[in-house]
Amino acid sequence: MAASKDQIVAALQKAYNMELETVTNYLANSIHLDGVRAEAIKKALTADITGELAHATQIGHRLKQLGSTVPGSLKLQMTQKMLQPPAETTDVVAVIRGVIDAEEEAVTHYNAIIKMCEGTDYVTQDLAIKLLSDEEAHRQEFEGYLKEYVKQ
């Protein structure tokens, strides 16, 4: 059964929310972490902020094209418990795991949008495929970091 335009818009609004929440948490963690072992992760998070913000921008433009409203701050719901800055500022592994969890959540959501749009909205489907590719690359990058950091 094909998804309705309202269902697609709702999924895009959720994706927009997820991307902005990720930007917020990447920024917080890129500032919050301390220690020599944290430097590479802080740099990676800082670099990824731009990519995640670009994702939100692309989604916002697609929402506008669909005649919908781009959510403002009062419409956003923050739920990324796993990506909150850790109590211990040198707990780099907790941040890496949080990033992997957030990227996995994004991958799952973009896969759902891709399926939802099949046969009904190829433009949104194409956007979701591109964003999925980016999220899978981010996840792989941080899975590599995790392998290195848990060995030490």
Side-chain angles (χ1 to χ4, degrees):
M1 183 169 126
S4 70
K5 181 180 172 186
D6 288 345
Q7 290 171 315
I8 293 169
V9 164
L12 285 172
Q13 288 174 334
K14 179 179 177 182
Y16 179 83
N17 189 118
M18 291 167 68
E19 295 290 354
L20 289 180
E21 183 172 15
T22 298
V23 166
T24 300
N25 288 323
Y26 281 11
L27 177 61
N29 281 301
S30 73
I31 295 167
H32 181 71
L33 287 175
D34 288 321
V36 174
R37 292 184 63 205
E39 286 307 308
I41 300 307
K42 289 170 68 169
K43 286 178 184 170
L45 289 171
T46 300
D48 286 348
I49 289 168
T50 305
E52 302 296 338
L53 190 54
H55 292 172
T57 302
Q58 292 171 320
I59 295 165
H61 284 294
R62 185 63 188 144
L63 285 165
K64 180 76 172 165
Q65 290 167 350
L66 292 171
S68 181
T69 303
V70 179
S73 63
L74 295 180
K75 296 283 185 183
L76 301 178
Q77 296 181 352
M78 303 302 179
T79 61
Q80 287 181 344
K81 291 181 180 145
M82 71 284 189
L83 199 47
Q84 296 304 299
E88 176 56 53
T89 63
T90 58
D91 191 354
V92 179
V93 172
V95 173
I96 293 169
R97 286 192 168 118
V99 169
I100 292 167
D101 287 348
E103 297 296 349
E104 185 60 39
E105 186 178 13
V107 164
T108 299
H109 191 64
Y110 288 125
N111 273 315
I113 292 173
I114 291 164
K115 289 177 185 156
M116 179 184 295
C117 292
E118 183 61 38
T120 62
D121 183 348
Y122 294 114
V123 175
T124 299
Q125 186 180 53
D126 184 58
L127 174 60
I129 290 167
K130 289 175 184 168
L131 298 177
L132 173 64
S133 176
D134 289 349
E135 301 299 355
E136 286 179 345
H138 290 159
R139 181 184 61 194
Q140 181 185 22
E141 175 187 15
F142 277 83
E143 286 171 343
Y145 290 140
L146 183 61
K147 288 177 190 175
E148 181 177 341
Y149 279 71
V150 294
K151 280 189 351 186
Q152 298 176 355

